[in-house]
Amino acid sequence: MPSYAKDPRCIAMAEALVPLLRRACPEGAGGYGGYYQVNLGDEEAVGLGGVELIRAAMRKAAKQFGWKVTILGWIGTRNGTMVAVQDKREVPEPYRAVVDEAMTDKMRAALHKVWGEPAPAPVQRGSVPLMTQEFRAAVAQGGS
C-alpha cells in the first residue's frame, strides 16, 4: 500500500480536517473522546483520492492532537463510502464524566432514531450528516 504522507492531496485534506476534528471532541473534554465520520458517495470518494487517501488524511490530522486512533474506511456500503477516525486514548479522570456523557447522548440519539420515537430527537452535537457536510465544504475550500 502506498504512503500518502507526502501526497499534496493528503496534506491539504489533513489541514482542512484539523478544525473539524477539534470540534468533534466533546466540549470540556480536554481534546479527548473525539470521533469523526463521513459518508460519501463511492464516486465522490474516488474523486477525492480514494478511501485510503481519506483515511491517511484523517490519521495525519488526528495525530496533531495526539490522538491514538482507530481508522475505519469502507467503500461500497449501503451508505456509499464510510470513513471514520476515533480517539482511542485512555481518558484522564478529570474528563471522563464529560466524555461518558457525550457517548451516552450519542447512544440516546441513535436509539431514538432506531426506535422511531415521535418526539423530537435529543440534541446531538456532531451528527454524521453534519460532519459529512462540513467535510465536503472544508475539502472544497482547501482545494480552491
Side-chain angles (χ1 to χ4, degrees), residues 67-119:
W67 289 12
K68 178 181 175 184
V69 298
T70 295
I71 304 280
L72 307 171
W74 295 287
I75 195 162
T77 70
R78 74 178 183 150
N79 294 317
T81 296
M82 188 211 67
V83 186
V85 60
Q86 180 178 14
D87 180 10
K88 298 298 286 182
R89 295 175 295 171
E90 183 69 30
V91 179
E93 188 58 40
Y95 304 117
R96 191 164 295 138
V98 173
V99 172
D100 289 348
E101 184 178 344
M103 180 62 72
T104 300
D105 289 346
K106 283 184 180 284
M107 289 301 296
R108 189 178 307 124
L111 291 173
H112 187 279
K113 184 176 179 180
V114 169
W115 290 334
E117 298 286 329

Side-chain angles (χ1 to χ4, degrees), residues 4-141:
Y4 292 101
K6 295 183 180 177
D7 186 313
R9 299 170 302 167
C10 181
I11 294 167
M13 191 178 293
E15 288 173 3
L17 279 163
V18 167
L20 304 179
L21 295 186
R22 184 177 297 120
R23 286 196 312 262
C25 297
E27 201 169 314
Y32 288 89
Y35 176 81
Y36 202 82
Q37 176 181 332
V38 295
N39 294 344
L40 306 166
D42 292 339
E43 289 181 22
E44 180 182 14
V46 169
L48 290 172
V51 70
E52 293 302 323
L53 185 132
I54 298 167
R55 284 173 44 132
M58 284 188 171
R59 180 179 296 109
K60 187 175 189 65
K63 287 189 176 191
Q64 292 186 34
F65 299 110
W67 289 12
K68 178 181 175 184
V69 298
T70 295
I71 304 280
L72 307 171
W74 295 287
I75 195 162
T77 70
R78 74 178 183 150
N79 294 317
T81 296
M82 188 211 67
V83 186
V85 60
Q86 180 178 14
D87 180 10
K88 298 298 286 182
R89 295 175 295 171
E90 183 69 30
V91 179
E93 188 58 40
Y95 304 117
R96 191 164 295 138
V98 173
V99 172
D100 289 348
E101 184 178 344
M103 180 62 72
T104 300
D105 289 346
K106 283 184 180 284
M107 289 301 296
R108 189 178 307 124
L111 291 173
H112 187 279
K113 184 176 179 180
V114 169
W115 290 334
E117 298 286 329
V123 175
Q124 184 186 8
R125 184 173 183 245
S127 67
V128 173
L130 178 60
M131 287 188 266
T132 301
Q133 185 179 18
E134 291 174 336
F135 172 80
R136 285 179 174 132
V139 170
Q141 187 176 26

